[in-house]
Amino acid sequence: MSGDTLQLRHHRPFVAFWFARICTAGSFQMLTVAIGWHLYSLTGNVLDLGLVGLVEFLPRVLFMLHTGHVADRYDRRRVAALCQTGQGLIALVLLVGSLNQAVTRELIFILAFCLGTARAFEQPTTQALLPNIVPPSIFPRAIAAAASAMQGATIIAPALGGLLYALGAGWVYGPAVVLYGIAILLVTSLPARQTPSQKEKPTLDNLLAGIRFIRSRPDVLGAISLDLFAVLLGGATALLPVFAADILLTGPWGLGLLRSAPAVGALGMSFLLAYVSLNRHVGRIMFGSVALFGVATIAFGLSTSLWFSLGTLVVLGAADMVSVVIRSSFVQLETPDAMRGRVSAVNGLFIGASNQLGEFESGVTAHFFGTVPAVVLGGVGTLVITGVWMKLFPGLAKRDRLTEPRQDG
């Protein structure tokens, strides 16, 4: 256990990858806080917060088949750097626009679509890049350690973004530009250990290979679809500006703390999973963590105390991290390198649907039923989905180990 951990710490390409994840995650979280508060201050419409999530999600659907193929056909380092360059330019546009008081509702939606497009190509690329950096023997711990980088940035960046936004929107967008620049330098410094499939043409059959592969693995299909529907119903992050302003009676700094709280729990859990392997009863552990996610969502929806709300979000983040590590290990370890990009693209669509589309669902239900009922009903829906999925995927519920020998050869 300790030897594997030391191996990660002294693995230079992984360290560069780890710091790049901190920069990109931090930049994105700062942008998310600023954009959410900026939009709500412009319109005061809770539905717009949900629409931003929908706009960011649309590129995942529109370009899903192509994002994975790009990650498999071209140098993943260059693809990731290009995507990060695009996100940095978006932050730069917001910086200039905020300094000139030129940021409008329409501009935010346009930039949200561009941001979603860049991330739609970046996520499957970086997910498929990690197995090219570390050996399979320590890959599950590498996933947890990489997730700790993202969650660590997610703790600091939203709180910092909320504090900086109090000084002006430009104080958030400027640092985001710098962090994206650092990430580009780190990603391009990684060694080239991938053999891009330059001769493979983007036929429909090749583009759909990722979908067919996931369908052929019931445990993988069950894990990622559980995450899709559970988080789709239970996600409440889009409504955090409303909770901060109207229910918990705080300001941008409080919103930053609320957005950071799930990452506190996720970071603690990722550190634990980086040192302690999930060796037995992983199916039950995953379903239990998703159920706990639903309970924490309900508790958050009913809370009127900032500190209790922060506590429920910490629990929510820790529970979600368990599912993330299990699902990511399934997908990456059981997928050949030549098609990891396409499979990661499908997995990314599920993740995006559970996050961005979940934000849209939360915004719509809050618009029609109210903010608190929307969150509580979402948590109840997560518990229902957990029970149904245990019946639909009994093999996943009974799965003992994280990685098992394949049964289909």
Side-chain angles (χ1 to χ4, degrees):
M1 180 177 68
S2 59
D4 289 344
T5 304
L6 288 173
Q7 187 175 350
L8 277 177
R9 290 177 180 175
H10 292 86
H11 198 285
R12 290 186 178 181
F14 177 77
V15 172
F17 180 87
W18 192 84
F19 278 108
R21 287 292 295 269
I22 289 180
C23 293
T24 55
S27 303
F28 177 71
Q29 290 298 326
M30 291 174 70
L31 285 179
T32 300
V33 170
I35 289 174
W37 193 269
H38 207 152
L39 181 62
Y40 192 59
S41 65
L42 286 173
T43 69
N45 189 348
V46 66
L47 184 59
D48 281 343
L49 298 176
L51 288 174
V52 167
L54 178 62
V55 170
E56 286 187 12
F57 172 71
L58 282 178
R60 293 183 184 273
V61 178
L62 295 176
F63 307 122
M64 180 193 72
L65 297 177
H66 300 285
T67 56
H69 186 81
V70 167
D72 287 336
R73 188 174 186 185
Y74 302 103
D75 189 330
R76 290 167 184 159
R77 302 169 305 163
R78 295 180 180 178
V79 174
L82 181 61
C83 294
Q84 291 157 4
T85 300
Q87 294 173 72
L89 290 175
I90 292 169
L92 182 60
V93 171
L94 287 168
L95 171 62
V96 175
S98 62
L99 292 176
N100 293 283
Q101 303 296 317
V103 177
T104 63
R105 176 180 181 270
E106 291 72 23
L107 178 62
I108 288 178
F109 281 121
I110 292 172
L111 294 178
F113 181 84
C114 296
L115 183 63
T117 299
R119 287 178 59 79
F121 281 88
E122 181 192 21
Q123 285 197 341
T125 302
T126 53
Q127 288 176 7
L129 184 60
L130 183 56
N132 299 136
I133 297 175
V134 298
S137 61
I138 58 174
F139 185 70
R141 285 197 173 95
I143 291 178
S148 72
M150 184 178 67
Q151 298 302 335
T154 306
I155 293 171
I156 300 172
L160 179 60
L163 291 172
L164 291 176
Y165 193 93
L167 302 175
W171 287 88
V172 182
Y173 300 132
V177 175
V178 175
L179 288 175
Y180 277 123
I182 296 173
I184 293 168
L185 295 176
L186 290 171
V187 168
T188 53
S189 72
L190 295 175
R193 295 175 179 169
Q194 171 199 6
T195 304
S197 52
Q198 296 283 359
K199 297 181 180 180
E200 188 178 23
K201 296 181 179 180
T203 63
L204 182 61
D205 182 67
N206 288 332
L207 295 175
L208 294 174
I211 297 176
R212 291 197 303 270
F213 182 87
I214 290 177
R215 288 185 59 187
S216 70
R217 300 292 193 277
D219 286 355
V220 173
L221 176 62
I224 65 176
S225 59
L226 172 66
D227 178 81
L228 165 64
F229 291 105
V231 180
L232 174 65
L233 294 175
T237 55
L239 302 179
L240 290 182
V242 183
F243 274 92
D246 301 335
I247 297 176
L248 302 176
L249 305 179
T250 183
W253 68 273
L255 174 61
L257 291 177
L258 290 171
R259 291 202 67 95
S260 298
V264 172
L267 179 63
M269 183 57 68
S270 65
F271 280 145
L272 178 62
L273 295 178
Y275 282 90
V276 180
S277 298
L278 290 170
N279 291 322
R280 304 299 301 272
H281 312 302
V282 295
R284 278 185 258 170
I285 291 173
M286 186 182 69
F287 278 104
S289 66
V290 175
L292 181 59
F293 179 93
V295 172
T297 300
I298 296 172
F300 172 77
L302 296 174
S303 173
T304 57
S305 165
L306 174 62
W307 300 111
F308 183 77
S309 296
L310 291 172
T312 60
L313 291 176
V314 168
V315 174
L316 182 149
D320 186 52
M321 177 52 61
V322 176
S323 175
V324 168
V325 171
I326 293 175
R327 183 184 68 249
S328 297
S329 296
F330 281 164
V331 173
Q332 298 296 339
L333 290 178
E334 297 192 9
T335 305
D337 183 66
M339 61 181 297
R340 277 194 176 119
R342 282 163 288 179
V343 173
S344 295
V346 179
N347 188 32
L349 177 65
F350 279 81
I351 296 172
S354 63
N355 293 324
Q356 277 78 41
L357 197 57
E359 292 178 2
F360 174 68
E361 178 272 336
S362 296
V364 171
T365 54
H367 178 74
F368 288 104
F369 301 107
T371 302
V372 172
V375 173
V376 173
L377 288 174
V380 172
T382 297
L383 295 177
V384 173
I385 289 295
T386 301
V388 171
W389 253 239
M390 292 182 71
K391 297 291 185 181
L392 291 178
F393 299 94
L396 178 61
K398 297 176 181 177
R399 189 178 180 97
D400 185 45
R401 298 186 181 276
L402 187 59
T403 55
E404 295 179 348
R406 296 179 184 174
Q407 302 297 324
D408 53 0

